[in-house]
Amino acid sequence: MSQGANLVLQWLSKLHLAQYVESFLDNGYDDLEVCKQIGEPDLDAIGVQVQYHRHRLLTAVQELIEEDRRRAPGYYFTLEPLEASACHHSDRVRDPGSHAQTTAVHQASCPGNHNPRFTDCNDFVTYPKLKLKVLIRDKLAKDGINLGQAPYTHKVGNCHPLIWYG
């Protein structure tokens, strides 16, 4: 059984619904990330007919989603170097409530790869390479992620394992 399938088994066991594990796996719900997509029609396909079990599963799915939201920082970062041309380009932006077009200019500290209507240029922060490396290392350690172990690393044929070096 794969690591994802084991997590699904543990999750269902915690809910006292381990009797559904085979149906979950047979229907492709072999990872908690996939289980977060479960809705009423999925429970029909899996074969969960008992209303109390359905309610318990749907509540647990919402808890998984909420747990992710609490853990997620709410922002992202890119590792690509900034191109000088990307920092000062303009986008033609149209306000949906008006017929006039306005021009939005990205600020110099912004990577320029976003739509200024939805994301402010001030939302972007530039970190020195060493500080970013330390932030990533600390976040991975805090979350218990070891990029040198499965599922992040695997051997391909006779080659050495693929390892991410920061």
Side-chain angles (χ1 to χ4, degrees):
M1 192 177 283
S2 72
Q3 183 178 2
N6 279 331
L7 290 174
V8 172
L9 173 61
Q10 290 173 3
W11 179 63
L12 290 171
S13 296
K14 186 175 116 181
L15 298 171
H16 304 288
L17 297 172
Q19 68 267 30
Y20 295 111
V21 72
E22 190 173 330
S23 294
F24 267 69
L25 299 178
D26 289 346
N27 284 281
Y29 297 97
D30 56 356
D31 187 82
L32 287 181
E33 287 302 314
V34 179
C35 290
K36 291 176 192 174
Q37 308 300 317
I38 291 175
E40 290 282 348
D42 304 298
L43 295 178
D44 292 335
I46 293 168
V48 180
Q49 302 301 322
V50 179
Q51 193 61 37
Y52 178 66
H53 292 177
R54 295 171 72 90
H55 175 73
R56 199 176 333 163
L57 282 165
L58 292 173
T59 301
V61 166
Q62 288 306 310
E63 288 172 3
L64 286 175
I65 293 168
E66 287 301 316
E67 184 180 316
D68 269 0
R69 284 193 189 128
R70 284 191 302 272
R71 268 196 250 163
Y75 57 88
Y76 71 97
F77 60 90
T78 59
L79 298 177
E80 294 85 20
L82 293 176
E83 295 178 24
S85 63
C87 293
H88 297 91
H89 75 280
S90 297
D91 284 339
R92 301 292 285 173
V93 179
R94 186 170 165 220
D95 182 3
S98 118
H99 296 291
Q101 288 192 353
T102 59
T103 302
V105 178
H106 290 284
Q107 297 176 3
S109 63
C110 157
N113 60 353
H114 69 99
N115 186 336
R117 286 191 318 181
F118 304 111
T119 311
D120 187 44
C121 292
N122 293 326
D123 292 341
F124 293 93
V125 178
T126 302
Y127 288 104
K129 184 177 179 180
L130 182 60
K131 181 170 182 162
L132 182 59
K133 180 179 177 180
V134 170
L135 286 170
I136 292 170
R137 183 200 66 207
D138 291 348
K139 176 68 173 152
L140 291 171
K142 178 183 173 198
D143 291 346
I145 297 172
N146 182 347
L147 294 177
Q149 294 180 345
Y152 310 103
T153 303
H154 64 280
K155 286 190 177 190
V156 179
N158 293 330
C159 299
H160 294 287
L162 302 172
I163 300 176
W164 178 80
Y165 293 100

